[in-house]
Amino acid sequence: MYTLRDVTKRYTRGKTTVHALDGVDLTIEDGGRLVIQGPTGGGKSTLLQMLGGLDRPTSGSVELDGVDLAKLSEARLTTVRAQNIGFVFQSFNLIPTLTAQENVETALVPLGGKAAERRRRAAEALDSVGLGERLGHLPGEMSGGQQQRVAIARALVKQPKVLLADEPTGNLDESMRDEVMEVLETMWKEHGLTFIMVTHDSAIARRAPRLATIRKGRVTITENAAA
Ligand SMILES: Nc1ncnc2c1ncn2[C@@H]1O[C@H](COP(=O)(O)OP(=O)(O)OP(=O)(O)O)[C@@H](O)[C@H]1O
Ligand SMILES: [Mg+2]
């Protein structure tokens, strides 16, 4: 479970200071799903970076299961990320010279274990996103939707607690968007993940049971019981 208390993030360059997050209080239950929307520059990606321990707040606390990510050493934070948190980005961030299977395996390297076991788990993860036949393909040999599904397999192969997705369908056309959303929803349901997703897609936002809107670094939560 996430508990954020009075989280601020300021970026200062020269004489200008940007309040990317401005006093954010938020709790997210285990297995919960939260959709984040809001205007460009509102602070969505910044919030996701705090949740993922990719960056630290200027002040406030970001607790994951009672551990304040803001206070962890860099080494501990790297371990927490490697074990517990999967990321999916708008630009798939796959390594172009590695096959689908090798890309997925990279997520398991920090966790140790045998190479054969990594290969087996990567193949299994790719199979679960419908890419069991594409293990040996390079990213350049796949469609956008397929590349994003490889990225989802890479995020989930370590069986994280939390999946963070920053506009995962932003670079995809409509048919691929549906394909990727379907995979994400299935994964959320099957794995009991805590799933937090930034999206500009108003259709997705409308369907969300819990919606966080961020404007100028401030969060408003809307619950939608009908969704
Ligand atoms: N590394 C940085 N240095 C300085 N300013 C930054 C940095 N990262 C973000 N910002 C600023 O913080 C604010 C919030 O940015 P953020 O990327 O979180 O917005 P966003 O809601 O994700 O926008 P978008 O929809 O365009 O992705 C913006 O004003 C942005 O310019
Ligand atoms: Mg962003």
Side-chain angles (χ1 to χ4, degrees), residues 40-41 43-46 90 166-167 198 200:
T40 178
K44 302 181 297 296
S45 296
T46 305
Q90 178 173 0
D166 197 347
E167 299 187 44
V198 172
H200 277 296

Side-chain angles (χ1 to χ4, degrees), residues 62-94:
V62 180
E63 286 185 7
L64 176 59
D65 299 333
V67 175
D68 188 357
L69 303 184
K71 292 207 176 68
L72 286 186
S73 68
E74 210 49 54
R76 287 276 311 285
L77 204 50
T78 304
T79 308
V80 168
R81 277 199 309 263
Q83 290 176 341
N84 300 310
I85 305 174
F87 294 95
V88 179
F89 300 97
Q90 178 173 0
S91 52
F92 323 122
N93 292 2
L94 299 174

